[in-house]
Amino acid sequence: MRLIILDDASTVADWAAQFVLQRITQFAPGPGRHFVLGLPTGGTPLGMYRKLVQFHKEGRLSFKYVTTFNMDEYVGLPREHPESYHYYMWNEFFKHVDIDPNNSHVLDGNAPDLVAECHRFEDLIQKAGGVHLFIGGIGPDGHIAFNEPGSSLVSRTRVKTLAYDTLDANKRFFGNDMSKVPRQALTVGVGTVMDAKEVMILITGVHKSLALAKAVEEGVNHMWTVSAFQQHPQALFVCDEDATLELRVKTVKYFKSLMVEHNKLIEIKR
Ligand code: F6R
């Protein structure tokens, strides 16, 4: 696992976007050769999306031959609801780039058969040849996608009933009315993300520092589902200084000493 420690959230956004640019450019997608990207929603990746849109507008990055799979979606929320992940992805990213909407997959939380929808999503990932790079974010409790504490670390895409803490945390997006927060969501499993060839997790803010410490310095534990990525062969955690506050000084110094190597990951060789 690589831990990339950067000054602040905006540097994390820039570094992450540069990494995506590097990976897609190096892959050289084209007809019949799509780069497959897994994507999160939330506050953390917004800066990265803005930067990717900028790269696209500057003519440095095309999504024409990129296929995307999103991590999760609420159940029963209309697509056009401002808190739906369909709405978020369309407004924050897809509508600003040249991706073919047929290639940008977001779970359908209004499907008549939710279990079948989850299987369909896993099948689509298989048919696309698997995910090259899955980007994720985590919650302060170490959840990735909607894989809350105690989720199986080999889980696949499925329907999840959300924990009270999640409903409470999300009520701010629903007029502070807990009764308006969807009770269920569809989410990729930890195993689904683990199958990606490469995983990049973005972690910013002091409120995520305990989760980062659990993920990096302690053992693999289903109570901190992000810790599963210790066992991924190509996982990158990209964080800001604030998120390192619960790490040991020794851990921070160690990973910082590797920054020259880490920065080679975002060099674009022509
Ligand atoms: C997003 C997702 C979640 C978020 C996490 C952090 O699709 O599945 O894991 O990444 O809840 O959210 P923010 O970035 O808003 O702190």
Side-chain angles (χ1 to χ4, degrees), residues 144-218:
I144 174 144
F146 275 115
N147 295 287
E148 298 185 303
S151 292
S152 159
L153 299 184
V154 294
S155 50
R156 312 301 310 182
T157 305
R158 66 205 185 291
V159 186
K160 280 287 279 182
T161 299
L162 304 181
Y164 178 86
D165 285 356
T166 310
L167 300 178
D168 194 43
N170 289 359
K171 73 174 188 229
R172 66 189 196 276
F173 301 119
F174 295 87
N176 270 324
D177 181 349
M178 186 109 109
S179 71
K180 295 211 171 95
V181 187
R183 292 277 188 274
Q184 288 187 312
L186 305 184
T187 179
V188 294
V190 180
T192 318
V193 185
M194 282 291 283
D195 281 353
K197 292 186 184 69
E198 209 162 13
V199 176
M200 173 168 69
I201 297 167
L202 311 181
I203 307 158
T204 59
V206 67
H207 59 306
K208 308 264 175 93
S209 59
L210 183 61
L212 181 63
K214 294 280 178 187
V216 175
E217 292 180 338
E218 293 191 18

Side-chain angles (χ1 to χ4, degrees), residues 40-45 71-72 137-139 143-145 208:
T41 56
T44 315
M71 295 197 124
D72 39 17
I138 66 165
H143 72 242
I144 174 144
K208 308 264 175 93

Side-chain angles (χ1 to χ4, degrees), residues 3-197:
L3 177 63
I4 321 282
I5 302 170
L6 300 161
D7 287 350
D8 51 27
S10 118
T11 328
V12 167
D14 289 355
W15 200 99
Q18 189 69 32
F19 184 72
V20 175
L21 173 69
Q22 199 282 348
R23 282 300 190 251
I24 297 178
T25 307
Q26 178 185 283
F27 183 83
R33 183 180 158 77
H34 278 220
F35 187 86
V36 184
L37 196 54
L39 296 174
T41 56
T44 315
L46 280 173
M48 177 192 73
Y49 287 131
R50 279 178 200 141
K51 197 81 190 171
L52 289 174
V53 170
Q54 184 193 322
F55 290 155
H56 172 66
K57 297 217 156 114
E58 291 167 356
R60 298 167 67 193
L61 182 58
S62 168
F63 293 88
K64 191 161 180 216
Y65 300 110
V66 173
T67 296
T68 62
F69 290 94
N70 261 83
M71 295 197 124
D72 39 17
E73 177 58 291
Y74 286 115
V75 167
L77 209 57
R79 273 172 193 230
E80 54 288 353
H81 189 289
E83 292 308 328
S84 88
Y85 294 171
H86 275 85
Y87 184 96
Y88 172 107
M89 287 310 298
W90 178 250
N91 283 292
E92 302 296 347
F93 189 45
F94 296 148
K95 79 172 182 193
H96 305 289
V97 297
D98 60 344
I99 195 160
D100 179 345
N102 293 318
N103 295 331
S104 54
H105 305 287
V106 183
L107 283 151
D108 180 1
N110 293 296
D113 182 341
L114 295 172
V115 174
E117 170 61 8
C118 294
H119 289 150
R120 187 189 70 87
F121 201 73
E122 289 273 344
D123 287 348
L124 275 175
I125 296 178
Q126 288 286 320
K127 284 197 189 106
V131 175
H132 291 108
L133 172 63
F134 223 126
I135 305 169
I138 66 165
D141 61 0
H143 72 242
I144 174 144
F146 275 115
N147 295 287
E148 298 185 303
S151 292
S152 159
L153 299 184
V154 294
S155 50
R156 312 301 310 182
T157 305
R158 66 205 185 291
V159 186
K160 280 287 279 182
T161 299
L162 304 181
Y164 178 86
D165 285 356
T166 310
L167 300 178
D168 194 43
N170 289 359
K171 73 174 188 229
R172 66 189 196 276
F173 301 119
F174 295 87
N176 270 324
D177 181 349
M178 186 109 109
S179 71
K180 295 211 171 95
V181 187
R183 292 277 188 274
Q184 288 187 312
L186 305 184
T187 179
V188 294
V190 180
T192 318
V193 185
M194 282 291 283
D195 281 353
K197 292 186 184 69

